[in-house]
Amino acid sequence: MMPQLLYPGLTSLLFLLFALQISAHMMISSPPPLGSSSNPNLRSSDIDYNLKDPLSPSGLTYPCGPNFDLYSVSPQGNPVETWAAGSSQSFTLDGGASHNGGSCQASLSIDGGKSFKVLRSYEGGCPLKGNYQFSIPADVPATKKAVFAWTWFNQIGNREMYMNCAVVDITPGSGGKGGWAKKPEVFKANIGNGCTTVERFDVEFPNPGDDVARGGEGNFASPVGDCGTVNRGADSGAGEGSDSPPAGDSPGSSTTDPTRPSQPNSGAVPTTSACGTKTVTAKPEGTMVFTRTFTVTW
């Protein structure tokens, strides 16, 4: 007798659990992204019911997933919100599988998706909260059809990158020293670009920008591979456990701490031990560089 006949419901249960694991991920619900059923500019045939899925591991669907072709079509690619430079904004997340959190970023493109500059980095605890705040720099140029992006790197599960994008108009603000020109490019990993995040750790972005919020359980690891140059700056920001508004672009906040020089990002290097020991090189703390060794099972 075949083993599955002894437990006739076991196969169905396992299939259901597997289906839930792969289908119920996360996405932004507000502002409504391209491909979303809540986007008022879309026809029913434009709706993507797989919007919570990660980007292709090959990188072919970067940026914004397979729905980005709607950006150049009217009315599907029309803006869904208008934000003033210098204003405070927020995004809302929806989904059923947060994968024990992870790290995410809010970013903005003013060149049609060719580049995305980080508005705020959320290291750890994302997307365990429903709503996240960020600021639009005061000196962002007024832009028709700018692209707001949410990117997420899950803590537990396959090494993936999630990305949703919404089209917004940016109107002129007060101007001033908003720091837009110094904002770093959004972090990219797990999409065939030679950079990979470490499972069971919240990724610590090599260059998170000058507005960083910390959350989660405090288990951080640098990414592995060719992930760019480390520029951690002052590592400041309100914790995501509170509803405090983002710190914004305070004068001098982008200045790199002299005790934390920029350096190549060697990341966390796994060993060949059969028990699954991973050695993670932590960021410099003051003038001291140290190594932590974690034992995990994967």
Side-chain angles (χ1 to χ4, degrees):
M1 181 180 295
M2 297 296 290
Q4 61 267 31
L5 298 180
L6 294 174
Y7 307 98
L10 180 59
T11 301
S12 297
L13 177 60
L14 291 176
F15 179 80
L16 175 61
L17 291 174
F18 178 73
L20 289 174
Q21 175 73 15
I22 64 174
S23 63
H25 297 297
M26 303 296 295
M27 60 175 280
I28 55 171
S29 57
S30 178
L34 292 166
S36 171
S37 59
S38 61
N39 189 315
N41 299 321
L42 300 189
R43 305 166 301 182
S44 58
S45 59
D46 299 320
I47 297 173
D48 182 1
Y49 294 99
N50 298 312
L51 202 58
K52 298 175 183 178
D53 289 354
L55 297 178
S56 167
S58 67
L60 293 178
T61 55
Y62 180 89
C64 303
N67 307 290
F68 195 55
D69 57 349
L70 297 174
Y71 173 78
S72 58
V73 181
S74 182
Q76 291 93 321
N78 290 354
V80 293
E81 290 191 16
T82 299
W83 295 341
S87 64
S88 295
Q89 300 295 337
S90 66
F91 62 89
T92 303
L93 299 175
D94 178 52
S98 61
H99 295 271
N100 203 43
S103 297
C104 65
Q105 292 182 310
S107 61
L108 186 71
S109 173
I110 61 172
D111 58 8
K114 296 176 183 178
S115 63
F116 288 84
K117 289 192 173 185
V118 176
L119 301 174
R120 198 179 199 199
S121 293
Y122 311 83
E123 295 184 329
C126 183
L128 302 182
K129 228 178 113 175
N131 185 270
Y132 292 82
Q133 296 179 323
F134 60 93
S135 291
I136 305 295
D139 60 343
V140 174
T143 305
K144 291 289 187 181
K145 295 189 63 173
V147 184
F148 170 76
W150 168 72
T151 49
W152 171 46
F153 301 89
N154 51 305
Q155 185 192 106
I156 293 177
N158 295 332
R159 299 298 80 207
E160 296 167 331
M161 177 176 178
Y162 294 77
M163 186 176 193
N164 296 148
C165 295
V167 183
V168 299
D169 278 345
I170 304 296
T171 58
S174 58
K177 297 180 180 180
W180 172 250
K182 295 182 179 180
K183 297 289 186 184
E185 178 72 8
V186 72
F187 175 71
K188 296 181 282 291
N190 307 326
I191 54 172
N193 62 331
C195 181
T196 308
T197 58
V198 181
E199 189 181 6
R200 298 184 183 273
F201 294 90
D202 296 324
V203 64
E204 188 176 65
F205 297 117
N207 193 354
D210 54 10
D211 192 357
V212 184
R214 284 278 182 137
E217 300 172 349
N219 297 323
F220 297 100
S222 300
V224 178
D226 184 10
C227 303
T229 301
V230 176
N231 185 7
R232 293 290 305 171
D235 277 354
S236 63
E240 279 305 302
S242 68
D243 290 326
S244 302
D249 301 293
S250 58
S253 60
S254 62
T255 301
T256 302
D257 186 339
T259 65
R260 289 178 162 186
S262 298
Q263 56 183 302
N265 181 32
S266 58
V269 182
T271 70
T272 57
S273 170
C275 65
T277 299
K278 293 184 183 292
T279 300
V280 179
T281 301
K283 66 179 182 180
E285 298 287 344
T287 57
M288 182 181 297
V289 178
F290 59 94
T291 300
R292 294 174 182 161
T293 300
F294 302 88
T295 300
V296 298
T297 302
W298 65 89

